[in-house]
Amino acid sequence: MSQFPETQSTLIAQIRSPENREAWEQFVALYRPVIYRMARKRGLQDADAQDLAQGVLIRVAGAIDRWEKTDPEIGFRNWLARVAKNAILNSLSRSPNDAAAGGSDVQDLLNDHPESNSEVAQELDLESQRERYHRAAAVVRMDVNIDTWRAFELSVVEGKSCEDVAELIRKPIGTIYA
C-alpha cells in the first residue's frame, strides 16, 4: 500500500462551507473514529470520548474557515491533532481528582501524556490510515470470494506464509498465490 496522503485540500475547501453536508459527512466518517480512539487510548470513558470527538468536530467547524497552511511542514493533520490533544488534556484536567483509587491528581494525569504535537499528529495519521483501510476493506470484501478475502487477511495483514495460509483455509498453495 502506498504512503497515506495528507487530507485532500479539496475536502478541506469543501468543509469550509457549512451547507456542504456530503463533505462534512465524509470528514466526520474519517476523523470522528480517529479522535475517539485517541481519547480512549488516553483513558477517557466511552461517553466522554464520544463527547470529546463531537466537541473537536464542532471546534473544527467553527475554525476551519480561518485555517491556512502557513508552514509547508505543518499541515491540516497537525492542526487537527493539536486541537484534539488540547481537548483531551482539557477533559483530563476537568476530571474529578478522586476518580481512581489512590486519588491521583490532575497533574499526574497530565504528566502521563507528555506527547509532543508531532507524536499526536503521527498517531492521528496512523489512526486515519486504519480507518481508511477498514472502510476500503469493507467495500472490497463484498466484491471477492470469502476464501480469497481470508487468504488476503492471513497472508498480507497477519503476515502468515502462503504455505500456512493454504493449510489453514484448506486450499492449494497456487490458489493462495493467485
Side-chain angles (χ1 to χ4, degrees):
M1 184 158 66
S2 64
Q3 180 65 24
F4 184 68
E6 284 290 313
T7 304
Q8 294 178 353
S9 57
T10 56
L11 180 59
I12 295 170
Q14 290 172 349
I15 66 172
R16 287 184 170 168
S17 169
E19 294 83 30
N20 193 336
R21 286 185 50 91
E22 188 175 313
W24 269 106
E25 287 171 5
Q26 182 182 356
F27 183 83
V28 168
L30 180 62
Y31 285 107
R32 184 183 179 106
V34 173
I35 297 164
Y36 171 82
R37 285 192 299 265
M38 288 174 64
R40 290 288 291 169
K41 188 182 278 187
R42 282 164 182 77
L44 293 179
Q45 295 179 5
D46 174 65
D48 294 332
Q50 293 286 358
D51 289 346
L52 181 125
Q54 183 69 25
V56 168
L57 292 170
I58 289 169
R59 283 187 199 98
V60 169
I64 191 67
D65 61 332
R66 296 184 307 273
W67 180 83
E68 293 204 21
K69 188 172 184 170
T70 56
D71 184 344
E73 297 295 315
I74 300 176
F76 176 78
R77 286 217 187 134
N78 293 82
W79 176 74
L80 180 58
R82 191 169 352 120
V83 171
K85 178 183 176 186
N86 289 343
I88 292 167
L89 291 176
N90 286 340
S91 180
L92 289 172
S93 68
R94 285 191 307 264
S95 299
N97 286 345
D98 61 350
S104 64
D105 69 344
V106 172
Q107 189 60 46
D108 290 339
L109 288 171
L110 294 173
N111 289 338
D112 287 342
H113 306 289
E115 306 99 354
S116 69
N117 283 337
S118 66
E119 288 170 335
V120 174
Q122 287 173 350
E123 181 181 354
L124 186 63
D125 276 344
L126 179 62
E127 290 296 333
S128 297
Q129 287 178 13
R130 281 191 186 119
E131 189 61 29
R132 286 215 172 156
Y133 167 78
H134 288 297
R135 291 173 69 199
V139 171
V140 172
R141 190 176 312 140
M142 293 182 341
D143 290 339
V144 298
N145 175 292
I146 193 164
D147 289 335
T148 303
W149 181 256
R150 187 69 183 134
F152 166 76
E153 280 186 316
L154 290 169
S155 62
V156 176
V157 178
E158 294 182 20
K160 295 188 183 305
S161 71
C162 288
E163 292 80 11
D164 289 344
V165 172
E167 186 177 320
L168 284 168
I169 65 172
R170 298 184 176 131
K171 295 285 182 184
I173 193 157
T175 302
I176 305 307
Y177 281 112

